[in-house]
Amino acid sequence: EDKVVQSPLSLVVHEGDTVTLNCSYEVTNFRSLLWYKQEKKAPTFLFMLTSSGIEKKSGRLSSILDKKELFSILNITATQTGDSAVYLCAVENYGGSQGNLIFGKGTKLSVKP
Amino acid sequence: EAGVTQFPSHSVIEKGQTVTLRCDPISGHDNLYWYRRVMGKEIKFLLHFVKESKQDESGMPNNRFLAERTGGTYSTLKVQPAELEDSGVYFCASSQDSWYIQYFGAGTRLSVL
């Protein structure tokens, strides 16, 4: 069965710390891996990764994909309280519906002042 | 540009009743997806529309769930009759094309008592 596993499930850090969130996957027909940030309501898009070894970067956030080892990491440097959220990893399964996303349970990040 | 909007934000009904959830995708997005997250579990795919056609409904749990997208604009998801296990958060997402990023709504929290 296709699955996406995120770790840790929950993380508490202090402002200024750097965090690494992990996402591993087993999906039959991989097409892309996406990271979303969910604060109160709607998950908001962060990154889409399709190729191994190419880092995507947006401000203090960066992500990279390893298609050989089937995982991705999301790094957040110099964390701020506004980074507190649930970070969702999803893998696009091309075998079924185009764009059928398989989600992990998420990592809840809490950044303390 | 307005994002994906969902209505209502929260619905509380009794077992056996009927509930209809609505999703308005981003204007011009042909692809519309429904997902569900039950407590403690990951977000799971329900179905995918391309315009008014159901591209994939493999994630629909049973025939108590009926999704429609008349005219290829907004979509409704009806649960009839609702059961306790239907409780959860129902997310809608839309994308311009099946290859593009899915943008999510804030979700409808359904509580079946």
Side-chain angles (χ1 to χ4, degrees), chain A residues 31 36 38 41-43 45 48 92 97-101 103-105, chain B residues 33 35 37 40 42-43 45 48 56 91 98-99 101-102 104-106:
Chain A
R31 187 159 78 167
Y36 287 86
Q38 184 178 22
K41 295 280 190 175
F45 170 79
M48 175 189 260
E92 189 178 12
S97 162
Q98 291 179 336
N100 178 357
L101 294 180
F103 281 86
K105 289 188 178 181
Chain B
Y33 308 83
Y35 294 86
R37 183 172 195 161
E42 51 277 288
I43 298 172
F45 167 79
H48 171 204
D56 181 354
F91 289 100
S98 61
W99 180 248
I101 299 154
Q102 293 184 30
F104 280 76

Side-chain angles (χ1 to χ4, degrees), chain A residues 10-84:
Chain A
S10 180
L11 192 57
V12 180
V13 301
H14 286 95
E15 273 192 316
D17 290 347
T18 293
V19 298
T20 298
L21 310 183
N22 302 290
C23 175
S24 63
Y25 61 90
E26 291 178 30
V27 173
T28 311
N29 296 296
F30 175 92
R31 187 159 78 167
S32 64
L33 184 144
L34 296 93
W35 284 97
Y36 287 86
K37 177 183 180 182
Q38 184 178 22
E39 294 179 81
K40 294 210 190 308
K41 295 280 190 175
T44 54
F45 170 79
L46 294 175
F47 298 111
M48 175 189 260
L49 303 156
T50 56
S51 301
S52 273
I54 299 175
E55 185 184 54
K56 291 276 183 95
K57 199 169 170 63
S58 175
R60 295 176 295 101
L61 278 66
S62 63
S63 184
I64 198 161
L65 173 68
D66 186 328
K67 289 168 75 174
K68 182 180 176 187
E69 299 298 328
L70 308 182
F71 78 90
S72 173
I73 59 172
L74 175 67
N75 278 318
I76 309 175
T77 58
T79 52
Q80 302 172 357
T81 54
D83 296 326
S84 296

Side-chain angles (χ1 to χ4, degrees), chain B residues 2 18 26 38 73 82-83 88 98:
Chain B
T18 297
I26 293 172
V38 297
T73 55
E83 298 289 343
S98 61

